[in-house]
Amino acid sequence: MAPTMRAVACRHGELGVVELDEPTPARGQVRLEVLRCGICGSDLHARHGIDTWAELAQRLGYDRFGRSDQPVVFGHEFSGAVAEYGPGTKRSVPTGAPVVALPLIRGPRGVDPVGLSSAAPGGYAEQVLVQESMMLPVPNGLAPDTAAMTEPMAVAWHAVRRGEVGKRDVAIVIGCGPVGLGVILCLKARGVRTVVASDFSAGRRALATACGADVVIDPAEGSPFADGSARGHLTNAPDAFELAVGTREKLGRLPIGWWHVWRLGERLGAGPKRPVIFECVGVPGVIESIIDEAPLFSRVVVVGVCVGEDRFTPAMAINKEIDLRFVIGYTPLEFRDTLHMLAEGDLDPRPMLTGTVGLDGVDAAFTALADPERQAKVLVDPRSAAVAP
């Protein structure tokens, strides 16, 4: 009989432990023993909403996203140990060595996302297949718990890089769930001096402080944009009009053409100050509320994933000249750099880690993660007996 393994599969919204054949690595693939696997917010949403995601993926030209009537093994945030190499591999990492991997694997029909397709079972299991070219050895004896945070922290690092945040910029993080907390950690790792965090949950606000936020706001009591004027941000149209006219008048007093000085200022980066805002909620209406309240010329980076339809008023964004950016995932280089920032101590996600369960506790962990006051990031240890985080 072929060796088997335990895994957690989701079908019709039900999570259950199943016995599956131990996977055999094909050409270019590696079988890992899963050490830890994080439960991602996308897994929580996919439990009941995977068909909607599959339809979106279909519109992007990918037709192998998981469906609710298929048994899908979730889990794309994992660390593991090399167990077996497939044919055609370089085998540069010793068997038994700790590794992480980008959750993309090449199958018979093309590349599939690990943990989001029945064609590529994920890390809620004792074993998982990865692409050798996507695999990286874990440096500096980094613990499996922290190594498993490479993937979600790479998402945050990519968002921060896309935001082009300078050290003197004010960064505002809306939503302090795992995504927002990761963004806070990456902002501080980048050297951003002022990070404002906003969340309705007292527990998440406490975690935001632990992750390095300089100012933490309860939006029920105040606005994260309230101190914009004091920070030099333009918060209304009259101030923008005055800046244009006043600057032109001042430059007109110089002995050279004002346009030369203005052009030089633009080349040197002079201009109105603006915050960089990270939307990390992913709920309809949040983008519009940010556009309504944000200072003029703000850059908004949308990290939270809103699967349903949303709306906002373009004219308001136009009048404020809001720079609206959307992000997803990361590059292989960003993934590698994130791993090394974790290993070197530049990123420390341990304040986010609030629980660990075994495979028998995954269903309970999904339920527990609905409580933002108690849980943020729960890890799955396939060999743990824990049934609750």
Side-chain angles (χ1 to χ4, degrees):
M1 294 180 62
T4 62
M5 68 170 186
R6 299 175 78 234
V8 176
C10 182
R11 188 176 186 184
H12 296 302
E14 298 295 325
L15 293 164
V17 178
V18 296
E19 289 282 338
L20 300 175
D21 289 341
E22 189 176 89
T24 300
R27 185 173 185 82
Q29 297 178 356
V30 184
R31 178 170 58 86
L32 306 183
E33 173 191 348
V34 177
L35 299 179
R36 299 291 188 278
C37 185
I39 297 177
C40 179
S42 62
D43 298 336
L44 302 179
H45 293 297
R47 179 178 187 176
H48 297 291
I50 195 167
D51 288 332
T52 301
W53 284 30
E55 290 164 8
L56 290 172
Q58 186 84 40
R59 291 164 61 183
L60 287 167
Y62 178 71
D63 63 358
R64 297 186 300 281
F65 205 93
R67 295 278 184 173
S68 61
D69 61 352
Q70 301 170 343
V72 179
V73 178
F74 294 144
H76 54 274
E77 305 175 353
F78 49 81
S79 63
V82 175
E84 180 187 6
Y85 282 98
T89 50
K90 296 180 179 179
R91 309 184 182 213
S92 57
V93 180
T95 300
V99 294
V100 293
L102 280 78
L104 292 171
I105 190 166
R106 179 177 284 109
R109 297 178 57 194
V111 176
D112 295 298
V114 175
L116 292 171
S117 169
S118 60
Y124 294 2
E126 293 176 331
Q127 312 279 335
V128 67
L129 292 180
V130 301
Q131 197 72 24
E132 185 187 40
S133 61
M134 297 286 100
M135 187 178 76
L136 294 166
V138 172
N140 295 351
L142 191 64
D145 293 45
T146 307
M149 294 297 290
T150 303
E151 200 279 343
M153 294 305 299
V155 172
W157 182 241
H158 174 71
V160 168
R161 293 188 72 235
R162 282 275 288 133
E164 299 180 84
V165 193
K167 293 181 179 181
R168 296 179 182 273
D169 288 332
V170 174
I172 301 174
V173 179
I174 308 298
C176 299
V179 173
L181 295 173
V183 168
I184 292 168
L185 286 167
C186 288
L187 287 166
K188 299 310 291 186
R190 194 177 176 91
V192 178
R193 298 176 184 177
T194 305
V195 177
V196 180
S198 175
D199 200 290
F200 287 102
S201 164
R204 287 183 171 177
R205 292 197 302 273
L207 288 175
T209 299
C211 288
D214 302 285
V215 180
V216 178
I217 302 291
D218 179 352
E221 298 180 357
S223 169
F225 310 108
D227 295 333
S229 295
R231 295 190 170 106
H233 302 153
L234 293 172
T235 59
N236 57 69
D239 286 349
F241 300 156
E242 177 58 39
L243 178 66
V245 175
T247 301
R248 170 65 183 85
E249 290 175 344
K250 290 176 183 177
L251 295 181
R253 301 187 190 107
L254 297 175
I256 60 175
W258 62 268
W259 54 92
H260 296 303
V261 182
W262 193 301
R263 204 181 314 278
L264 177 62
E266 285 187 343
R267 290 175 180 171
L268 295 175
K273 292 183 178 180
R274 83 286 181 270
V276 182
I277 304 163
F278 294 86
E279 191 280 290
C280 301
V281 181
V283 172
V286 175
I287 294 176
E288 182 172 38
S289 70
I290 291 173
I291 290 173
D292 284 346
E293 298 180 35
L296 280 67
F297 310 113
S298 293
R299 178 174 299 143
V300 180
V301 182
V302 181
V303 196
V305 179
C306 179
V307 180
E309 292 184 351
D310 200 359
R311 63 172 60 190
F312 61 87
T313 305
M316 180 62 77
I318 291 168
N319 286 328
K320 288 186 170 184
E321 202 162 296
I322 299 290
D323 181 0
L324 187 60
R325 302 183 179 186
F326 295 84
V327 301
I328 186 171
Y330 39 79
T331 68
L333 178 59
E334 288 169 333
F335 190 92
R336 182 265 178 202
D337 289 348
T338 300
L339 172 63
H340 283 262
M341 285 192 290
L342 290 166
E344 292 162 12
D346 297 325
L347 285 173
D348 184 1
R350 287 177 294 178
M352 297 170 55
L353 302 178
T354 54
T356 302
V357 296
L359 295 175
D360 293 302
V362 170
D363 192 10
F366 270 53
T367 301
L369 283 164
D371 183 0
E373 299 300 336
R374 299 184 58 188
Q375 300 294 340
K377 177 63 71 174
V378 174
L379 299 179
V380 179
D381 176 355
R383 283 152 190 82
S384 170
V387 295

